[in-house]
Amino acid sequence: MDPRYEERGIRVKSICMTYNKTTSSKTALTESGVDLHLELKGSGLRVGLTEALREAVRSGRLTPGTRLPSSRTLAQDLGVARSTVTECYSTLVEEGWLTARHGSGTQVAERAQPLRKPAPAPQPRQSKPTHGLGPGAADYADFPRTAWLGAARRAFAAAPHSAFGYGDALGRMELREALSNYLSRVRGVYADPGRIVICSGYHHGLGVMARALKEQGTNTVAVEAYGLSIYRDLLSDAGMRTPPIEVDEGGALTIELDTLPPAAALSLTPAHQFPSGYALSTERRSTVIDWARRTGGILLEDDYDGEFRYDRKPVGALQGLDPDHVVYFGTASKSIAPALRLSWMVVPERLMPAVTRAKGRVDTVSVLDQLIFTEFLTSGAFDRHVRSRRHSYRQRREDLLHAISMQTEDVKLIGMAAGLQAVLTLPTGTESWMLQAAARQGLTVSGLSEFRHPQADGPGLWSDGLVVNFSAVSDSAWSSALQSLMRVLP
């Protein structure tokens, strides 16, 4: 090894060189360039540096057009003679790896393309659906960009310096206080700020609650016989049994609660059952509360779209009847956008210690987004946005209902006037080929059977159906999507 390596302690044969990629205006190298790791190879500094730069170009880490430091600057950075760098540059220019022009410095040659892996064999192109009417999506073109940016400017201007550090694991207190007022006013939820926990989406919150319940000795979380499999799988992964509770026009069939073990939990969507669209009846609301009090059970209330009721004012949340036995879940995913990853839980006081431990010691939700949403909520922008969407979605549901009535008597839209999707019941045995016909029309819709619990007995009250998300396309595309859907129906 060259003794100069020993003097500089370069036993790992690696150095870092500072460089700056050129821009369209070919700006000069600045002191604040980015770092590039080079591994020196060979028996001397010149040979090692030459091979390291050659490999950096060959591998693509130095891209064509990148401007290198001057020979004087690089020599000073490496602590070597300038002639060593000059000879290295000259060699690479002669080989075609670099170019050198007076006044332009030394750059990676445009023709020096990095080695690339062989391109994969072309795959048959899949036709992209024209209209996506599957559940879970919304009209993202309707995101309130201007109002959100305004809230961001105001929130950042008012934020204390401490807000830019690590946040409270349970969420910013400003947001928890704002949600306390909002949920009490709009959903009838008893929500002390100290019992509100901010989460990164409903999936995250449900996972936290599952771990907390497991710690308390709960091994069973009953679920509605129709619902999203991703949440059943999450509970199963947490070690929970998930027996199904049947669903009909009155919501979850509460008579089946007597089959559950003591201290079990029940997950349900009482304001608007997903995906059937029915609300839990008044009698059954009382029944599930009585069951929880009698057995010590916990009710997990998923209020995923409680803001969107079209025929009258929404029924208040179940949590308001008994805050000590109901965990209330809310989310911004349906009302604003899932990309925010903002949701909240209102937790019974007796579960707060276990939930706090399950949540962890560091906040998992962007503090900055929490501050923005707080401002968006308290300024009234959220209420205005929800009212605007409510008007749009009400009209779309009416369009869908009218189109079906004009098209066929064999298909019925079930459920109440609420939410972002609707179930269209079909003649028995037709769901599969209806889905195929929809695909041929460029439509993405889901079959009702997709949401049926695999352990549920029989096909359920509704054997065949389509779940149509009328909120998933833009206003300009809705008419075309509706026409395509009508061509599918019998």
Side-chain angles (χ1 to χ4, degrees):
M1 177 180 290
D2 190 299
R4 287 174 292 180
Y5 282 169
E6 297 287 344
E7 293 173 2
R8 295 178 178 83
I10 315 180
R11 292 186 180 276
V12 295
K13 295 187 177 181
S14 66
I15 60 173
C16 281
M17 181 187 72
T18 302
Y19 75 100
N20 200 38
K21 292 185 177 181
T22 54
T23 64
S24 57
S25 59
K26 304 296 184 182
T27 57
L29 182 75
T30 66
E31 292 182 22
S32 58
V34 293
D35 290 334
L36 174 69
H37 180 77
L38 298 174
E39 291 190 1
L40 301 182
K41 299 178 181 180
S43 58
L45 277 175
R46 185 183 65 78
V47 174
L49 179 58
T50 301
E51 181 56 32
L53 285 170
R54 186 185 291 118
E55 180 59 28
V57 175
R58 182 187 293 116
S59 65
R61 289 189 292 118
L62 277 176
T63 58
T66 300
R67 187 169 182 174
L68 300 179
S70 67
S71 57
R72 183 188 303 277
T73 300
L74 185 55
Q76 290 175 348
D77 288 345
L78 299 179
V80 300
R82 183 181 179 185
S83 58
T84 300
V85 178
T86 301
E87 292 175 9
C88 168
Y89 279 2
S90 297
T91 299
L92 295 175
V93 168
E94 291 176 1
E95 294 178 358
W97 296 104
L98 305 178
T99 61
R101 295 185 181 89
H102 182 68
S104 298
T106 304
Q107 300 178 357
V108 177
E110 293 292 342
R111 62 180 179 275
Q113 296 297 325
L115 295 177
R116 303 185 186 278
K117 295 181 179 179
Q123 299 294 323
R125 296 188 63 181
Q126 301 292 328
S127 58
K128 185 177 181 180
T130 305
H131 300 296
L133 302 179
D139 179 10
Y140 302 135
D142 198 31
F143 183 88
R145 297 170 189 252
T146 301
W148 190 259
L149 285 172
R153 285 192 294 269
R154 295 190 299 272
F156 290 166
H161 298 318
S162 60
F164 297 93
Y166 294 103
D168 186 333
L170 300 183
R172 290 289 299 187
M173 184 53 70
E174 300 99 319
L175 177 55
R176 294 157 73 188
E177 290 174 347
L179 282 170
S180 175
N181 294 329
Y182 173 80
L183 294 174
S184 175
R185 170 172 59 88
V186 175
R187 301 297 297 127
V189 171
Y190 176 76
D192 182 273
R195 291 166 50 187
I196 296 178
V197 180
I198 307 301
C199 300
S200 179
Y202 173 66
H203 189 278
H204 175 222
L206 184 62
V208 170
M209 184 53 60
R211 293 193 293 274
L213 291 174
K214 190 73 173 178
E215 179 185 312
Q216 300 292 298
T218 297
N219 296 307
T220 300
V221 179
V223 297
E224 293 166 323
Y226 288 96
L228 288 169
S229 61
I230 185 175
Y231 301 133
R232 296 195 296 263
D233 294 342
L234 183 153
L235 293 170
S236 297
D237 291 344
M240 299 289 186
R241 294 178 55 250
T242 59
I245 300 295
E246 198 54 73
V247 172
D248 63 12
E249 293 94 337
L253 203 59
T254 51
I255 193 173
E256 297 185 6
L257 294 177
D258 293 334
T259 64
L260 298 179
L266 169 62
S267 174
L268 72 169
T269 50
H272 189 221
Q273 203 284 322
F274 181 87
S276 71
Y278 290 104
L280 191 67
S281 68
T282 301
E283 179 183 356
R284 293 181 186 180
R285 286 165 66 91
S286 298
T287 300
V288 295
I289 293 295
D290 291 342
W291 168 82
R293 291 172 176 171
R294 185 177 69 254
T295 65
I298 291 291
L299 302 173
L300 308 180
E301 178 180 12
D302 180 7
D303 196 32
Y304 66 101
D305 64 355
E307 297 90 352
F308 298 103
R309 182 74 184 260
Y310 309 130
D311 54 349
R312 59 185 176 85
K313 185 178 180 181
V315 175
L318 191 66
Q319 191 265 4
L321 297 178
D322 194 335
D324 293 330
H325 289 89
V326 181
V327 179
Y328 176 87
F329 293 87
T331 176
S333 294
K334 301 296 184 291
S335 54
I336 305 181
L340 295 180
R341 308 314 304 143
L342 269 173
S343 69
W344 42 90
M345 297 188 292
V346 184
V347 181
E349 185 174 359
R350 62 191 172 103
L351 285 178
M352 277 301 297
V355 168
T356 301
R357 288 189 291 272
K359 181 72 159 50
R361 297 182 177 87
V362 179
D363 197 1
T364 54
V365 183
S366 166
V367 172
L368 302 183
D369 286 337
Q370 292 184 61
L371 293 174
I372 298 171
F373 185 57
T374 301
E375 172 62 27
F376 195 72
L377 197 59
T378 56
S379 68
F382 182 67
D383 288 89
R384 292 189 292 272
H385 174 69
V386 168
R387 282 196 296 271
S388 174
R389 277 198 164 179
R390 189 185 294 134
H391 174 77
S392 175
Y393 296 161
R394 177 194 294 117
Q395 185 60 54
R396 293 190 189 188
R397 188 180 185 277
E398 291 176 356
D399 292 343
L400 177 61
L401 186 60
H402 176 72
I404 293 172
S405 66
M406 299 296 291
Q407 174 77 14
T408 177
E409 296 182 355
D410 295 329
V411 175
K412 302 296 181 183
L413 190 156
I414 65 172
M416 61 188 187
L420 312 182
Q421 74 283 322
V423 172
L424 312 185
T425 60
L426 303 173
T428 302
T430 63
E431 180 180 301
S432 179
W433 70 262
M434 283 281 191
L435 291 173
Q436 296 175 19
R440 289 193 294 270
Q441 288 291 329
L443 292 176
T444 298
V445 294
S446 296
L448 183 59
S449 60
E450 174 185 331
F451 304 96
R452 184 75 174 160
H453 196 299
Q455 297 174 16
D457 294 332
L461 184 62
W462 311 282
S463 58
D464 289 78
L466 297 180
V467 180
V468 177
N469 181 0
F470 51 78
S471 72
V473 297
S474 65
D475 287 337
S476 60
W478 168 239
S479 178
S480 175
L482 184 58
Q483 292 175 18
S484 298
L485 179 62
M486 291 304 104
R487 286 194 289 268
V488 172
L489 300 182

